[in-house]
């Protein structure tokens, strides 16, 4: 088991390194992406541009620039080109809003995704199943930006039930914190509810035909217990994998939702940095997001290996 975990951790480091290198190279080959010229302004003199180039090390080779930037990111000294602010400090400021958004949305979509998927499987082919299928497909089909605009138009500007945006710290006012996040939570969760409910329904329908389910029924167990203790429990394993990947990617920053609702989180910071082609915050945010994606993927692999030794033994044999 220790060897399996070590290999997964080494793979995690390799993926993060590859992501950082690719991101750095992409933003250094973009046409007209000279950071010194952007920082100096459109009407800057060549002398000013040369001074900024020397001060920020833009005249160094790409490997040197990459090494310097990565060192500054991990030591907390990296400064953005555009706003001249500390990138790590700015990301730390956005972490509470992004975590609040992602955790709340994840709770909503997991609860309703499992509920709708379970009810659809139990009532497969019935009116309830058809209704939930329509709801799920409609949720998957609606773009996030359109859904956010609909909520803001009707629930904020017309009915004035919720604020238009902004983020309030939980410690400042738990009620205002939740009130400002309800619309972003629902907006982000609706798409995932549809996906998770359809995946769970399919898994449960497949599990219903397995031998261990027929054996449980032959032993005289009640239908509800068979569905919850045997069918649902085994059908949730792929859902856990899917949740680990989705939640990890969300922590990298929900760009569209945060930008629309002005949550001032990591996603909104990423949006502003992309507009300005500001490499240091983009590098830091990409690494932040990639870390959580790889971390949750690694944790899922380790959990699988612990639950099923065949996976661990098969990997070690290769």
């Amino acid at each position: 088991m220790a060897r399996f975990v070590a290999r997964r951790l080494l793979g995690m480091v390799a993926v993060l390194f590859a992501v950082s290198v690719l991101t750095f190279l992409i933003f250094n080959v973009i046409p007209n992406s000279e950071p010194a010229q952007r920082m100096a302004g459109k009407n800057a003199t060549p002398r000013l541009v040369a001074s900024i180039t020397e001060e920020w090390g833009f005249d160094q080779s790409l490997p040197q620039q990459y090494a310097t930037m990565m060192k500054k990111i991990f030591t907390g000294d990296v400064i953005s080109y555009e706003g001249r602010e500390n990138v790590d400090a700015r990301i730390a400021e956005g972490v509470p809003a992004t975590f609040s958004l992602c955790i709340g949305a994840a709770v909503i979509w997991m609860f309703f995704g499992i509920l709708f998927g379970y009810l659809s499987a139990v009532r497969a082919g019935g009116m309830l199943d058809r209704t939930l299928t329509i709801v799920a497909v409609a949720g998957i089909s609606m773009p996030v930006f359109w859904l956010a605009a609909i909520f803001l138009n009707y629930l904020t500007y017309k009915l004035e039930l919720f604020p238009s945006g902004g983020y309030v710290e939980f410690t400042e006012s738990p009620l205002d914190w939740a009130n400002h996040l309800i619309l972003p939570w629902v907006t982000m969760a609706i798409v995932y509810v549809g996906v998770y409910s359809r995946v769970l329904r399919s898994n449960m329908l497949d599990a219903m035909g397995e031998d261990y389910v027929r054996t449980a029924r032959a032993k005289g167990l009640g239908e509800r217990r068979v569905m919850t203790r045997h069918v649902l429990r085994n059908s949730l394993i792929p859902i856990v994998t899917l949740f680990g990947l989705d939640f990890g990617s969300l922590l990298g920053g929900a760009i569209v939702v945060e930008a629309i609702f002005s949550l001032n989180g990591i996603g909104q910071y990423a949006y502003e940095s992309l507009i300005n082609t500001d490499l240091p915050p983009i590098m830091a945010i990409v690494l932040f997001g990639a870390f959580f994606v790889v971390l949750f993927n690694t944790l899922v692999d380790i959990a699988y290996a612990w639950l099923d030794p065949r996976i661990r033994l098969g990997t070690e044999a290769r």
Side-chain angles (χ1 to χ4, degrees):
M1 185 66 181
R3 183 182 299 178
F4 179 85
V5 173
R7 292 182 62 178
R8 284 293 181 267
L9 293 177
L10 287 176
M12 178 178 172
V13 174
V15 170
L16 291 176
F17 173 73
V19 169
S20 65
V21 171
L22 287 174
T23 305
F24 181 82
L25 291 177
I26 288 172
F27 281 90
N28 273 279
V29 299
I30 294 176
N32 302 321
S33 62
E34 290 293 334
Q37 183 64 53
R38 294 200 314 273
M39 293 168 66
K42 294 181 179 180
N43 301 320
T45 62
R47 184 175 180 180
L48 177 59
V49 174
S51 175
I52 294 176
T53 300
E54 182 179 359
E55 177 185 357
W56 289 76
F58 298 140
D59 55 345
Q60 299 176 348
S61 64
L62 287 181
Q64 287 179 312
Q65 292 186 45
Y66 170 81
T68 301
M69 179 170 295
M70 294 302 297
K71 178 182 178 181
K72 290 183 176 180
I73 287 176
F74 285 105
T75 58
D77 297 328
V78 64
I79 304 298
S80 64
Y81 298 156
E82 191 69 22
R84 311 292 181 90
E85 61 181 351
N86 187 285
V87 173
D88 290 350
R90 176 63 180 80
I91 291 177
E93 292 177 2
V95 165
T98 298
F99 270 69
S100 297
L101 171 64
C102 295
I103 293 174
V107 170
I108 292 174
W109 90 56
M110 282 295 287
F111 176 79
F112 285 101
I114 293 174
L115 177 63
F116 290 172
Y118 177 83
L119 293 176
S120 293
V122 172
R123 296 288 186 266
M127 182 60 65
L128 180 60
D129 180 30
R130 295 192 183 95
T131 302
L132 293 177
T133 298
I134 294 174
V135 172
V137 173
I140 297 172
S141 304
M142 290 186 289
V144 172
F145 64 87
W146 179 83
L147 192 61
I150 293 296
F151 284 156
L152 286 173
N153 182 56
Y154 289 100
L155 300 181
T156 297
Y157 301 126
K158 290 188 175 181
L159 299 179
E160 299 182 354
L161 296 177
F162 302 100
S164 59
Y167 176 74
V168 177
E169 293 285 348
F170 181 83
T171 54
E172 181 179 337
S173 174
L175 184 60
D176 288 339
W177 171 82
N179 193 36
H180 280 76
L181 286 170
I182 287 178
L183 290 185
W185 282 340
V186 175
T187 300
M188 182 176 291
I190 282 180
V191 174
Y192 291 96
V193 168
V195 173
Y196 279 59
S197 65
R198 303 313 297 166
V199 171
L200 181 60
R201 177 186 183 275
S202 177
N203 292 339
M204 290 186 64
L205 291 178
D206 290 340
M208 287 179 189
E210 296 293 335
D211 291 337
Y212 66 86
V213 175
R214 289 193 290 267
T215 301
R217 286 174 174 152
K219 289 180 178 179
L221 295 179
E223 186 65 19
R224 178 177 297 180
R225 187 173 182 182
V226 170
M227 293 300 297
T228 55
R229 295 289 298 275
H230 296 274
V231 176
L232 178 61
R233 185 174 180 178
N234 288 281
S235 300
L236 285 176
I237 294 178
I239 297 296
V240 172
T241 304
L242 192 61
F243 176 77
L245 296 175
D246 288 338
F247 189 72
S249 63
L250 282 181
L251 287 176
I255 296 179
V256 176
V257 174
E258 288 190 12
I260 292 176
F261 290 99
S262 302
L263 295 180
N264 200 31
I266 299 174
Q268 187 171 349
Y269 188 36
Y271 171 76
E272 297 168 355
S273 302
L274 287 169
I275 290 178
N276 298 318
T277 323
D278 199 352
L279 181 58
I282 292 173
M283 283 285 296
I285 293 170
V286 167
L287 285 175
F288 180 86
F291 171 77
F292 281 102
V293 172
V294 177
L295 174 64
F296 277 88
N297 193 20
T298 302
L299 292 176
V300 168
D301 287 343
I302 293 174
Y304 271 14
W306 180 70
L307 293 172
D308 190 349
R310 293 174 300 176
I311 298 176
R312 180 176 69 252
L313 296 176
T315 304
E316 292 178 354
R318 291 195 297 270

